[in-house]
Amino acid sequence: NLIGVQIATTGELYATWDIQDAGLGEVKAFATGVDAVEALKNGKVDCVIIDSAPADAFVAANEGLKILETSYVTESYAIAIAKDNVELLGKVTAALQDLIADGTVDAIIEKYIPAE
């Protein structure tokens, strides 16, 4: 089994540790997620491990691709702030709400996690 991943991502790390190092398949790293998905479409890899947001976009834009119903790895992201720093917590929360409301978060996703 040949697994496509984007270089320097957690998908590459997990696939290397869990699959390649266990002798269950070979990991092939690509410069971008787009390159990995193109390799999948062209039959050069058997599957691609990629974050869910870009996976959704790739599947929507490319007939014949599908996402497994079971997650491989679930990751969470957080911002750590000292619990007594209420002022900073308020500022970070307000900034995040503004970035979501004005479309900046969606624009960042579209720019850095494109389907094409």
Side-chain angles (χ1 to χ4, degrees):
N1 298 324
L2 189 56
I3 297 100
V5 297
Q6 182 176 343
I7 195 166
T9 62
T10 54
E12 179 185 23
L13 292 174
Y14 287 123
T16 300
W17 295 335
D18 294 343
I19 298 168
Q20 186 166 291
D21 291 353
L24 301 173
E26 181 183 343
V27 175
K28 180 165 176 66
F30 294 88
T32 68
V34 173
D35 293 340
V37 171
E38 284 300 315
L40 176 62
K41 289 168 41 181
N42 294 321
K44 295 180 180 176
V45 296
D46 299 306
C47 66
V48 171
I49 295 174
I50 195 164
D51 290 346
S52 62
D56 290 339
F58 288 127
V59 167
N62 296 279
E63 189 174 322
L65 298 183
K66 86 179 228 182
I67 299 172
L68 295 178
E69 293 179 17
T70 304
S71 296
Y72 171 50
V73 174
T74 302
E75 298 177 309
S76 298
Y77 300 93
I79 298 173
I81 299 171
K83 59 183 163 182
D84 63 340
N85 196 341
V86 178
E87 180 183 354
L88 179 58
L89 177 60
K91 289 179 179 180
V92 168
T93 300
L96 287 172
Q97 290 171 340
D98 289 347
L99 293 171
I100 291 168
D102 73 7
T104 300
V105 170
D106 287 337
I108 290 169
I109 290 169
E110 188 174 318
K111 179 178 180 179
Y112 293 103
I113 311 174
E116 299 174 6

